[in-house]
Amino acid sequence: MSKLITFIIQPGHSLNGEIRVPGDKSMSHRSIMLGSLAEGVTHVKGFLNAEDAMSTLKAFRAMGVEITDPVEGEVTIQGVGKHGLKAPKNPLDLGNSGTSMRLLSGLLVGQNFDCILTGDESLSSRPMRRVTEPLALMGANIKTQEDGSAPLHIKGTKNLQGIDYTLPMASAQVKSCLLLAGMYAAGETKVTEPAPTRDHTERMLNGFGYPVKREGCQAMVNSEGKLTATNIDVPSDISSAAFFLVGASIAKNSDVTLCHVGMNPTRTGIINILQLMGANISILNHREVGGEPVADLRVMTAALKGITIPEALVPLAIDEFPVLFIAAACATGQTILTGAEELRVKECDRIQVMAEGLETLGVDVQVTVDGMIINGGKIKGGEVVSHGDHRIAMAFSIAGLRASAPIKIQDCVNVNTSFPEFRKLATSLGLQLQSIEE
Ligand code: S3P
């Protein structure tokens, strides 16, 4: 049984100071995957030492790759080459990590061994047909449970065929899964997305010298490339920085600088949305580090106003909506989100769970099929449940900055999946957060 952690946030307070949040989760996963398949030794800096990225790391160790334990974000991977993975002795347990399961399924269907991918209760209830169906079109032998969920049973095959596939939803995980499968398929694999999603797979493949062609919303690979080891510098995760971008905007007298934040344009929707709401965010020292744009972000208190969120920004801020709902609850007027049905299949149904918590805290919200309407107003104290979802737990912690009484958040142990230092960094800036083990 895992521990039960409850967060208690004392209301009010300001956020002030300068911090560097931990490394980007998406890039950390990919650094292990591609470093393992590369020829030579890859050194990673800024690796996210949190449960999700560690699930990927442990999976590759179980497939025979020597990888050091992360020490202050540094990891060394002894690449085994594109065809060097070995059959794992046991099912690969990917914990809570959807990225590990979806990307690994693509990478493993073309190996010369069979394997089973499992996960925790949340991951085992998430939809996997979005990857298994297109993989089957490529000739993969991959089976889900009857309802389309994990465990996934994969029988490796040498007979994968490239496909020309248009994604039914904007999903970087599905896109990446198919591109990784395409590295083992005959002919060209072409993936077209309905709207731009994070492109770390494409960029990092290029960084390892593996050719990926890109034309508009289409990315293409074939099996002819090889990966050559490289050094990777993972910037801070904008999805973790997001909690403080909102926190310092809504808390009185706040001034926070977030250093070395990844500014890949497929990830900066949170900044665009907050700026449309009137946030005071300065982008400083914009620079390029290892093929990814990076900047320091200074954010100060601002009077936010409600907006209609442009749908094109939704995939570019997909993980930031729990905390954006808190921003909307503190804004003057109405915020309308549409086109975000994907939020219902994240670590929990983030539309329903956030709406229930906001209602408990006295916020006027209306749930819709693909989004939410939030009328800004006052936030009361109360007790909410995170449903084991890290971003829900952290979002309600930030709500405490504007609450009129303490907020108690149940079930917060999963903060460790993406941001184990959250409590330490948040309290160093001024959030009054107490963590209780029950
Ligand atoms: C991720 C893609 C996103 C995101 C997830 C990480 C990735 O999922 O929600 O946290 O690393 O590719 P979808 O692409 O399925 O929306």
PDB file of all heavy atoms in Angstrom, residues 101-102 119-128 147-151 344-349:
ATOM      1  N   MET A 101       4.174   4.257 -21.486  1.00  0.00           N
ATOM      2  CA  MET A 101       3.452   3.146 -22.102  1.00  0.00           C
ATOM      3  C   MET A 101       3.195   3.389 -23.587  1.00  0.00           C
ATOM      4  O   MET A 101       3.406   2.516 -24.429  1.00  0.00           O
ATOM      5  CB  MET A 101       2.136   2.882 -21.374  1.00  0.00           C
ATOM      6  CG  MET A 101       1.470   1.648 -21.927  1.00  0.00           C
ATOM      7  SD  MET A 101       0.147   0.999 -20.928  1.00  0.00           S
ATOM      8  CE  MET A 101       1.004   0.233 -19.584  1.00  0.00           C
ATOM      9  N   ARG A 102       2.772   4.589 -23.938  1.00  0.00           N
ATOM     10  CA  ARG A 102       2.412   4.813 -25.347  1.00  0.00           C
ATOM     11  C   ARG A 102       3.658   4.852 -26.228  1.00  0.00           C
ATOM     12  O   ARG A 102       3.668   4.295 -27.327  1.00  0.00           O
ATOM     13  CB  ARG A 102       1.594   6.093 -25.462  1.00  0.00           C
ATOM     14  CG  ARG A 102       0.275   5.995 -24.638  1.00  0.00           C
ATOM     15  CD  ARG A 102      -0.876   6.671 -25.320  1.00  0.00           C
ATOM     16  NE  ARG A 102      -2.131   6.504 -24.601  1.00  0.00           N
ATOM     17  CZ  ARG A 102      -2.623   7.367 -23.704  1.00  0.00           C
ATOM     18  NH1 ARG A 102      -1.944   8.471 -23.399  1.00  0.00           N
ATOM     19  NH2 ARG A 102      -3.778   7.151 -23.126  1.00  0.00           N
ATOM     20  N   GLY A 119       0.757  -1.167 -15.783  1.00  0.00           N
ATOM     21  CA  GLY A 119       0.826   0.112 -15.074  1.00  0.00           C
ATOM     22  C   GLY A 119      -0.057   0.087 -13.851  1.00  0.00           C
ATOM     23  O   GLY A 119      -0.688  -0.941 -13.555  1.00  0.00           O
ATOM     24  N   ASP A 120      -0.130   1.213 -13.148  1.00  0.00           N
ATOM     25  CA  ASP A 120      -0.955   1.279 -11.939  1.00  0.00           C
ATOM     26  C   ASP A 120      -2.434   1.378 -12.320  1.00  0.00           C
ATOM     27  O   ASP A 120      -2.799   1.319 -13.505  1.00  0.00           O
ATOM     28  CB  ASP A 120      -0.486   2.435 -11.026  1.00  0.00           C
ATOM     29  CG  ASP A 120      -0.778   3.816 -11.600  1.00  0.00           C
ATOM     30  OD1 ASP A 120      -1.444   3.924 -12.657  1.00  0.00           O
ATOM     31  OD2 ASP A 120      -0.348   4.813 -10.994  1.00  0.00           O
ATOM     32  N   GLU A 121      -3.275   1.577 -11.323  1.00  0.00           N
ATOM     33  CA  GLU A 121      -4.724   1.564 -11.564  1.00  0.00           C
ATOM     34  C   GLU A 121      -5.128   2.657 -12.560  1.00  0.00           C
ATOM     35  O   GLU A 121      -5.923   2.430 -13.480  1.00  0.00           O
ATOM     36  CB  GLU A 121      -5.411   1.780 -10.216  1.00  0.00           C
ATOM     37  CG  GLU A 121      -6.833   1.341 -10.173  1.00  0.00           C
ATOM     38  CD  GLU A 121      -7.471   1.704  -8.836  1.00  0.00           C
ATOM     39  OE1 GLU A 121      -6.796   1.583  -7.785  1.00  0.00           O
ATOM     40  OE2 GLU A 121      -8.644   2.133  -8.865  1.00  0.00           O
ATOM     41  N   SER A 122      -4.575   3.855 -12.386  1.00  0.00           N
ATOM     42  CA  SER A 122      -4.928   4.960 -13.286  1.00  0.00           C
ATOM     43  C   SER A 122      -4.478   4.643 -14.717  1.00  0.00           C
ATOM     44  O   SER A 122      -5.260   4.733 -15.664  1.00  0.00           O
ATOM     45  CB  SER A 122      -4.271   6.262 -12.769  1.00  0.00           C
ATOM     46  OG  SER A 122      -4.005   7.166 -13.808  1.00  0.00           O
ATOM     47  N   LEU A 123      -3.223   4.218 -14.872  1.00  0.00           N
ATOM     48  CA  LEU A 123      -2.715   3.936 -16.222  1.00  0.00           C
ATOM     49  C   LEU A 123      -3.479   2.770 -16.856  1.00  0.00           C
ATOM     50  O   LEU A 123      -3.731   2.769 -18.068  1.00  0.00           O
ATOM     51  CB  LEU A 123      -1.205   3.656 -16.158  1.00  0.00           C
ATOM     52  CG  LEU A 123      -0.487   3.440 -17.493  1.00  0.00           C
ATOM     53  CD1 LEU A 123      -0.720   4.599 -18.460  1.00  0.00           C
ATOM     54  CD2 LEU A 123       1.017   3.253 -17.280  1.00  0.00           C
ATOM     55  N   SER A 124      -3.882   1.809 -16.030  1.00  0.00           N
ATOM     56  CA  SER A 124      -4.607   0.642 -16.560  1.00  0.00           C
ATOM     57  C   SER A 124      -6.035   0.976 -16.954  1.00  0.00           C
ATOM     58  O   SER A 124      -6.750   0.112 -17.470  1.00  0.00           O
ATOM     59  CB  SER A 124      -4.643  -0.485 -15.523  1.00  0.00           C
ATOM     60  OG  SER A 124      -3.343  -0.778 -15.117  1.00  0.00           O
ATOM     61  N   SER A 125      -6.473   2.211 -16.679  1.00  0.00           N
ATOM     62  CA  SER A 125      -7.834   2.551 -17.111  1.00  0.00           C
ATOM     63  C   SER A 125      -7.790   3.561 -18.260  1.00  0.00           C
ATOM     64  O   SER A 125      -8.826   4.034 -18.719  1.00  0.00           O
ATOM     65  CB  SER A 125      -8.629   3.113 -15.930  1.00  0.00           C
ATOM     66  OG  SER A 125      -8.058   4.347 -15.563  1.00  0.00           O
ATOM     67  N   ARG A 126      -6.604   3.895 -18.746  1.00  0.00           N
ATOM     68  CA  ARG A 126      -6.518   4.910 -19.817  1.00  0.00           C
ATOM     69  C   ARG A 126      -6.592   4.256 -21.202  1.00  0.00           C
ATOM     70  O   ARG A 126      -6.190   3.111 -21.384  1.00  0.00           O
ATOM     71  CB  ARG A 126      -5.238   5.737 -19.638  1.00  0.00           C
ATOM     72  CG  ARG A 126      -5.305   6.533 -18.338  1.00  0.00           C
ATOM     73  CD  ARG A 126      -4.076   7.364 -18.099  1.00  0.00           C
ATOM     74  NE  ARG A 126      -3.932   8.424 -19.089  1.00  0.00           N
ATOM     75  CZ  ARG A 126      -2.898   9.251 -19.118  1.00  0.00           C
ATOM     76  NH1 ARG A 126      -1.925   9.133 -18.239  1.00  0.00           N
ATOM     77  NH2 ARG A 126      -2.833  10.196 -20.029  1.00  0.00           N
ATOM     78  N   PRO A 127      -7.091   5.000 -22.195  1.00  0.00           N
ATOM     79  CA  PRO A 127      -7.299   4.388 -23.520  1.00  0.00           C
ATOM     80  C   PRO A 127      -5.980   4.100 -24.243  1.00  0.00           C
ATOM     81  O   PRO A 127      -5.130   4.976 -24.362  1.00  0.00           O
ATOM     82  CB  PRO A 127      -8.097   5.464 -24.269  1.00  0.00           C
ATOM     83  CG  PRO A 127      -7.843   6.743 -23.545  1.00  0.00           C
ATOM     84  CD  PRO A 127      -7.529   6.399 -22.127  1.00  0.00           C
ATOM     85  N   MET A 128      -5.840   2.862 -24.681  1.00  0.00           N
ATOM     86  CA  MET A 128      -4.628   2.467 -25.405  1.00  0.00           C
ATOM     87  C   MET A 128      -4.914   2.118 -26.869  1.00  0.00           C
ATOM     88  O   MET A 128      -3.997   1.966 -27.661  1.00  0.00           O
ATOM     89  CB  MET A 128      -3.955   1.271 -24.703  1.00  0.00           C
ATOM     90  CG  MET A 128      -3.359   1.647 -23.364  1.00  0.00           C
ATOM     91  SD  MET A 128      -2.049   2.901 -23.521  1.00  0.00           S
ATOM     92  CE  MET A 128      -2.193   3.737 -21.940  1.00  0.00           C
ATOM     93  N   ASP A 147     -11.500  -3.882 -22.937  1.00  0.00           N
ATOM     94  CA  ASP A 147     -11.946  -2.489 -23.009  1.00  0.00           C
ATOM     95  C   ASP A 147     -10.881  -1.562 -23.595  1.00  0.00           C
ATOM     96  O   ASP A 147     -10.991  -0.337 -23.514  1.00  0.00           O
ATOM     97  CB  ASP A 147     -12.349  -2.001 -21.608  1.00  0.00           C
ATOM     98  CG  ASP A 147     -11.176  -2.022 -20.640  1.00  0.00           C
ATOM     99  OD1 ASP A 147     -10.088  -2.519 -21.029  1.00  0.00           O
ATOM    100  OD2 ASP A 147     -11.326  -1.538 -19.506  1.00  0.00           O
ATOM    101  N   GLY A 148      -9.829  -2.125 -24.187  1.00  0.00           N
ATOM    102  CA  GLY A 148      -8.829  -1.288 -24.851  1.00  0.00           C
ATOM    103  C   GLY A 148      -7.773  -0.735 -23.912  1.00  0.00           C
ATOM    104  O   GLY A 148      -7.037   0.195 -24.275  1.00  0.00           O
ATOM    105  N   SER A 149      -7.677  -1.314 -22.722  1.00  0.00           N
ATOM    106  CA  SER A 149      -6.701  -0.769 -21.766  1.00  0.00           C
ATOM    107  C   SER A 149      -5.530  -1.731 -21.567  1.00  0.00           C
ATOM    108  O   SER A 149      -5.507  -2.835 -22.107  1.00  0.00           O
ATOM    109  CB  SER A 149      -7.409  -0.508 -20.437  1.00  0.00           C
ATOM    110  OG  SER A 149      -7.871  -1.735 -19.918  1.00  0.00           O
ATOM    111  N   ALA A 150      -4.551  -1.294 -20.766  1.00  0.00           N
ATOM    112  CA  ALA A 150      -3.393  -2.131 -20.425  1.00  0.00           C
ATOM    113  C   ALA A 150      -3.823  -3.184 -19.413  1.00  0.00           C
ATOM    114  O   ALA A 150      -4.858  -3.010 -18.782  1.00  0.00           O
ATOM    115  CB  ALA A 150      -2.303  -1.246 -19.842  1.00  0.00           C
ATOM    116  N   PRO A 151      -3.071  -4.247 -19.193  1.00  0.00           N
ATOM    117  CA  PRO A 151      -1.774  -4.582 -19.785  1.00  0.00           C
ATOM    118  C   PRO A 151      -1.812  -4.765 -21.308  1.00  0.00           C
ATOM    119  O   PRO A 151      -2.809  -5.215 -21.861  1.00  0.00           O
ATOM    120  CB  PRO A 151      -1.413  -5.907 -19.102  1.00  0.00           C
ATOM    121  CG  PRO A 151      -2.209  -5.953 -17.854  1.00  0.00           C
ATOM    122  CD  PRO A 151      -3.443  -5.158 -18.109  1.00  0.00           C
ATOM    123  N   ARG A 344     -10.265  14.646 -20.360  1.00  0.00           N
ATOM    124  CA  ARG A 344     -11.038  13.605 -19.663  1.00  0.00           C
ATOM    125  C   ARG A 344     -10.296  12.280 -19.592  1.00  0.00           C
ATOM    126  O   ARG A 344     -10.702  11.390 -18.852  1.00  0.00           O
ATOM    127  CB  ARG A 344     -12.395  13.424 -20.347  1.00  0.00           C
ATOM    128  CG  ARG A 344     -13.300  14.653 -20.200  1.00  0.00           C
ATOM    129  CD  ARG A 344     -14.723  14.281 -20.537  1.00  0.00           C
ATOM    130  NE  ARG A 344     -15.637  15.406 -20.398  1.00  0.00           N
ATOM    131  CZ  ARG A 344     -16.234  15.757 -19.259  1.00  0.00           C
ATOM    132  NH1 ARG A 344     -15.986  15.076 -18.159  1.00  0.00           N
ATOM    133  NH2 ARG A 344     -17.060  16.777 -19.224  1.00  0.00           N
ATOM    134  N   VAL A 345      -9.231  12.116 -20.390  1.00  0.00           N
ATOM    135  CA  VAL A 345      -8.500  10.833 -20.378  1.00  0.00           C
ATOM    136  C   VAL A 345      -7.045  11.008 -19.929  1.00  0.00           C
ATOM    137  O   VAL A 345      -6.156  10.286 -20.357  1.00  0.00           O
ATOM    138  CB  VAL A 345      -8.583  10.114 -21.746  1.00  0.00           C
ATOM    139  CG1 VAL A 345      -9.993   9.609 -21.989  1.00  0.00           C
ATOM    140  CG2 VAL A 345      -8.125  11.012 -22.896  1.00  0.00           C
ATOM    141  N   LYS A 346      -6.820  11.983 -19.078  1.00  0.00           N
ATOM    142  CA  LYS A 346      -5.477  12.141 -18.494  1.00  0.00           C
ATOM    143  C   LYS A 346      -5.396  11.249 -17.245  1.00  0.00           C
ATOM    144  O   LYS A 346      -6.157  10.314 -17.109  1.00  0.00           O
ATOM    145  CB  LYS A 346      -5.227  13.619 -18.178  1.00  0.00           C
ATOM    146  CG  LYS A 346      -5.132  14.491 -19.437  1.00  0.00           C
ATOM    147  CD  LYS A 346      -3.934  14.118 -20.260  1.00  0.00           C
ATOM    148  CE  LYS A 346      -3.874  14.858 -21.580  1.00  0.00           C
ATOM    149  NZ  LYS A 346      -2.846  14.347 -22.467  1.00  0.00           N
ATOM    150  N   GLU A 347      -4.501  11.561 -16.306  1.00  0.00           N
ATOM    151  CA  GLU A 347      -4.315  10.707 -15.135  1.00  0.00           C
ATOM    152  C   GLU A 347      -5.643  10.504 -14.392  1.00  0.00           C
ATOM    153  O   GLU A 347      -5.835   9.531 -13.673  1.00  0.00           O
ATOM    154  CB  GLU A 347      -3.245  11.290 -14.207  1.00  0.00           C
ATOM    155  CG  GLU A 347      -1.817  11.086 -14.703  1.00  0.00           C
ATOM    156  CD  GLU A 347      -1.362  12.094 -15.752  1.00  0.00           C
ATOM    157  OE1 GLU A 347      -2.203  12.626 -16.521  1.00  0.00           O
ATOM    158  OE2 GLU A 347      -0.142  12.351 -15.806  1.00  0.00           O
ATOM    159  N   CYS A 348      -6.568  11.478 -14.518  1.00  0.00           N
ATOM    160  CA  CYS A 348      -7.972  11.291 -14.132  1.00  0.00           C
ATOM    161  C   CYS A 348      -8.778  12.145 -15.110  1.00  0.00           C
ATOM    162  O   CYS A 348      -8.207  12.767 -16.007  1.00  0.00           O
ATOM    163  CB  CYS A 348      -8.203  11.727 -12.676  1.00  0.00           C
ATOM    164  SG  CYS A 348      -8.104  13.508 -12.419  1.00  0.00           S
ATOM    165  N   ASP A 349     -10.091  12.188 -14.931  1.00  0.00           N
ATOM    166  CA  ASP A 349     -10.912  13.071 -15.765  1.00  0.00           C
ATOM    167  C   ASP A 349     -10.739  14.490 -15.206  1.00  0.00           C
ATOM    168  O   ASP A 349     -11.387  14.881 -14.238  1.00  0.00           O
ATOM    169  CB  ASP A 349     -12.371  12.614 -15.695  1.00  0.00           C
ATOM    170  CG  ASP A 349     -13.308  13.538 -16.481  1.00  0.00           C
ATOM    171  OD1 ASP A 349     -12.905  14.673 -16.795  1.00  0.00           O
ATOM    172  OD2 ASP A 349     -14.435  13.116 -16.768  1.00  0.00           O
TER     173      ASP A 349
END
